Amino acid sequence: MINHWLKYAAAFEDAIDDNDWAPVADCFHPQATYVRHSDDERLHTPEVKGNTDIAANFASSVEQFDRRFTSRNLSNVHIASVNKSDLHHEFNITYKADGLPDLEFSGHENYVFDSEGLIVSLEEVISPGVGTKVVGWLMQHAAKL
C-alpha cells in the first residue's frame, strides 16, 4: 500500500510542476471521496466525489494557493500503514514568499485503498489551532502574494 501512496505522491508533485492532473486522477477510484477538515471552517473542503473531480479540486487549490508562493516544502513526513487498506500520513508544510514571513502548517491525511491500490477515500485534517493561524496569515499577507 505504501508503494501506491508513493505513486500518488509523485504524481501530485509532478502535477504541481507540469499541471497534468490526469495521473493524479488515475490514482483514485472513480467513486473516490476527498474531504478536508480544519478548526477554521474557511479552510474546509466539502466532500468531493469522483477521481476527476478530486483531481480538478487539487488543480484549483494549487492554482489559487500554492502557485502564489515562491516555494512549498514538505518536512517531518511520517507514513504508517494502519492495516491492509488504510494508510496514515502526517505532514508539515512551509510556504515561502519573498518579503513575507513563512506560512507553516501541519496536519494528517487518512487514506483508504481498494484491492487494486486505488484510493477510495482521502480525509485531510489540518492540525488543531493551525487553521486559525493560516487564515490569520492570509488575512494579513495574501494581498502581497
Side-chain angles (χ1 to χ4, degrees):
M1 177 182 6
I2 288 178
N3 287 338
H4 297 295
W5 181 85
L6 289 171
K7 177 185 171 188
Y8 158 71
F12 189 93
E13 294 301 319
D14 288 346
I16 289 174
D17 292 337
D18 65 17
N19 210 29
D20 180 6
W21 293 90
V24 172
D26 292 343
C27 294
F28 285 85
H29 186 277
Q31 282 88 41
T33 60
Y34 165 75
V35 65
R36 178 180 355 153
H37 304 286
S38 169
D39 59 349
D40 190 306
E41 290 188 17
R42 293 169 284 189
L43 296 180
H44 283 290
T45 298
E47 186 176 81
V48 180
K49 294 182 181 181
N51 61 337
T52 56
D53 287 344
I54 291 169
N57 176 272
F58 292 161
S60 176
S61 178
V62 165
E63 192 61 38
Q64 294 174 21
F65 188 77
D66 298 63
R67 294 198 197 291
R68 298 175 73 184
F69 293 86
T70 55
S71 71
R72 169 188 164 276
N73 299 301
L74 289 168
S75 61
N76 299 324
V77 173
H78 176 76
I79 305 163
S81 292
V82 178
N83 57 41
K84 286 186 176 183
S85 64
D86 296 359
L87 184 134
H88 181 81
H89 167 235
E90 295 178 17
F91 65 89
N92 187 53
I93 191 163
T94 303
Y95 289 92
K96 294 183 180 285
D98 294 338
L100 296 176
D102 292 352
L103 173 60
E104 294 185 46
F105 65 92
S106 60
H108 69 271
E109 297 171 324
N110 298 313
Y111 294 82
V112 177
F113 291 83
D114 69 8
S115 61
E116 303 291 316
L118 296 175
I119 300 165
V120 295
S121 173
L122 170 51
E123 176 191 34
E124 181 180 354
V125 180
I126 305 300
S127 296
V130 173
T132 303
K133 289 180 188 177
V134 169
V135 170
W137 189 99
L138 291 168
M139 291 178 74
Q140 184 175 359
H141 302 291
K144 298 173 189 166
L145 289 173

